[in-house]
């Protein structure tokens, strides 16, 4: 009987856990290993499959999410200039978003991965 109750409780917890799609909607994150002097953010619209953020420039686009598979597309950005190392870092970040195909969301934050790229983000405190 104890095993059946434990199994039922485990299944109930799994059913209540949020999918990545539900977990990211309306939330913003900050890249943990951003280059020195930069803060790179990534946010997800609460209503539509759109993302946004800021590196040197503000950027935005669409994403598709199916289970733990994600694809970023149609990335657009403003066109402000910054020192060359920051511009290179931003360009590399945008390229990395293009190869991302997996998303993991947990209590520690957000991890995006694909190919040999892993981007780890922590949630932004939203008050």
């Amino acid at each position: 009987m104890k095993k059946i109750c434990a199994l039922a409780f485990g299944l109930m917890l799994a059913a209540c856990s949020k999918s990545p799609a539900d977990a990211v909607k309306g939330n913003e994150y900050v890249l943990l290993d951003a280059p020195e002097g930069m803060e790179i953010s990534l946010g997800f619209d609460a209503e539509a499959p759109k993302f946004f953020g800021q590196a040197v420039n503000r950027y935005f686009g669409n994403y598709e999410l199916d289970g733990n598979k994600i694809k970023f597309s149609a990335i657009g950005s403003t066109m402000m200039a910054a020192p060359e190392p920051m511009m290179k870092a931003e360009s590399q970040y945008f390229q990395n978003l293009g190869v991302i195909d997996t998303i993991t969301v947990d209590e520690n934050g957000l991890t995006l991965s694909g190919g040999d790229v892993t981007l780890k983000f922590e949630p932004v405190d939203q008050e």
Side-chain angles (χ1 to χ4, degrees), residues 46-116:
E47 303 299 322
K50 297 184 181 297
F51 67 93
F52 57 90
Q54 183 157 356
V56 170
N57 291 284
R58 294 186 184 277
Y59 67 94
F60 47 87
N62 301 314
Y63 69 91
E64 295 176 35
L65 192 52
D66 184 14
N68 71 335
K69 296 298 181 187
I70 190 166
K71 178 177 169 65
F72 293 95
S73 61
I75 299 174
S77 73
T78 58
M79 300 292 288
M80 297 186 303
E84 186 63 24
M86 293 173 76
M87 296 304 295
K88 283 184 178 181
E90 179 184 72
S91 178
Q92 184 63 52
Y93 173 72
F94 289 161
Q95 287 177 9
N96 288 343
L97 285 180
V99 300
I100 294 300
D101 60 12
T102 304
I103 182 171
T104 305
V105 183
D106 61 26
E107 64 277 354
N108 297 319
L110 170 71
T111 302
L112 301 173
S113 57
D116 62 350

Side-chain angles (χ1 to χ4, degrees), residues 11-25:
L11 290 172
M12 204 167 58
L13 282 177
C16 293
S17 65
K18 289 184 172 183
S19 70
D22 292 335
V24 298
K25 284 183 179 178

